[in-house]
Amino acid sequence: MPWGSLPRNMVGIPSLKNFLGKLLYDHIRSGFSILVQEIRTLVLESRTQLDSLAVKYQRCVYDSLIGSYDNAWKSDDRRKLRMRLQITTDAFSKGMATRGHTRVFRLVNDEVDGEFATSLIKAENIYYWIRQVYRKSRGSELPGTVNPTVLENMFCQQSEKWNDIAAKHIADIERIIKAFNEAVFRDIFHEDNLREKIGNHNNVPFRKAS
């Protein structure tokens, strides 16, 4: 078609810009549906892959919690979750028994109870302390009865170390679980970027999560 016969709306730079813009728009629009379908397929494949990895992780957690370990693991392997939790829980139990009170418990014959004995606790006779607190806190209660506030006060004094011991135990549990996750994530998530993102997402403060 001769240039002179072209319609005026098709001549000049502005017309060319409009024409090219429409051409580009039509091209993008024609390929948009294909792009959307590819994205949907990619999302579905990624979700399927993540579901499969999640199942593997759940299986590792289950096996570790029931004590079903790989024979190739060393005795101190971080993936031996149940073993490590039992060790730290035993230490917590022993710590509560020997350091969880301010005065050592005694038997009915006034001898020190060996189960709760430790050199770190005050040597003051707990029976003497109880009598002293009772005498200093007597109120309007009937003879032979004990003021309830006295029992509450003695309990609070005798258990004042519980908070620190329990806080340390929670911190130990958090450390063990974090080490377990790091080891299991390294086994399951082979891509560094994916492992880092999942690790960051899973890194919720332990007390907040519990």
Side-chain angles (χ1 to χ4, degrees):
M1 177 181 295
W3 288 102
S5 62
L6 289 173
R8 293 187 62 83
N9 62 352
M10 297 182 62
V11 178
I13 294 178
S15 299
L16 179 61
K17 289 174 64 177
N18 291 336
F19 172 77
L20 292 177
K22 185 177 183 304
L23 181 65
L24 180 61
Y25 171 78
D26 292 339
H27 179 71
I28 293 176
R29 184 178 182 182
S30 63
F32 186 73
S33 60
I34 299 176
L35 179 62
V36 170
Q37 184 60 40
E38 290 178 351
I39 293 175
R40 288 176 178 173
T41 301
L42 179 61
V43 169
L44 181 60
E45 291 176 351
S46 299
R47 182 174 298 172
T48 301
Q49 181 183 12
L50 288 175
D51 287 344
S52 176
L53 294 174
V55 170
K56 290 182 180 179
Y57 173 75
Q58 289 178 333
R59 185 65 195 181
C60 288
V61 173
Y62 176 79
D63 288 344
S64 294
L65 286 177
I66 65 173
S68 179
Y69 309 130
D70 191 314
N71 292 330
W73 293 352
K74 296 181 179 179
S75 59
D76 60 346
D77 195 290
R78 294 183 298 173
R79 290 165 294 185
K80 291 187 174 182
L81 184 58
R82 186 180 183 89
M83 177 200 72
R84 302 188 73 202
L85 290 176
Q86 286 180 329
I87 291 175
T88 193
T89 300
D90 289 344
F92 166 71
S93 178
K94 183 177 180 180
M96 285 293 289
T98 58
R99 295 181 287 104
H101 43 272
T102 56
R103 295 166 179 81
V104 180
F105 292 103
R106 290 177 175 268
L107 302 173
V108 293
N109 59 5
D110 203 25
E111 293 182 358
V112 173
D113 190 334
E115 183 180 355
F116 302 99
T118 175
S119 60
L120 302 177
I121 305 300
K122 297 178 182 178
E124 179 184 358
N125 189 306
I126 191 172
Y127 290 144
Y128 174 79
W129 170 70
I130 292 174
R131 295 188 188 99
Q132 287 292 100
V133 174
Y134 171 72
R135 292 193 184 100
K136 293 178 181 180
S137 305
R138 295 186 66 177
S140 59
E141 66 273 6
L142 297 174
T145 61
V146 179
N147 188 338
T149 59
V150 176
L151 297 177
E152 180 180 353
N153 180 42
M154 287 192 294
F155 180 84
C156 290
Q157 290 188 49
Q158 187 70 343
S159 61
E160 63 184 14
K161 298 182 179 181
W162 286 10
N163 185 70
D164 291 341
I165 296 175
K168 181 183 181 303
H169 181 54
I170 292 175
D172 290 340
I173 295 294
E174 182 177 6
R175 174 180 51 80
I176 290 171
I177 293 177
K178 183 177 180 180
F180 168 81
N181 279 333
E182 289 176 351
V184 172
F185 285 174
R186 191 170 290 108
D187 289 340
I188 297 176
F189 307 116
H190 300 147
E191 297 181 13
D192 294 340
N193 187 41
L194 176 61
R195 182 170 62 249
E196 181 180 357
K197 288 183 177 180
I198 293 179
N200 291 337
H201 179 74
N202 191 61
N203 192 23
V204 179
F206 190 76
R207 289 182 177 86
K208 180 179 179 180
S210 60

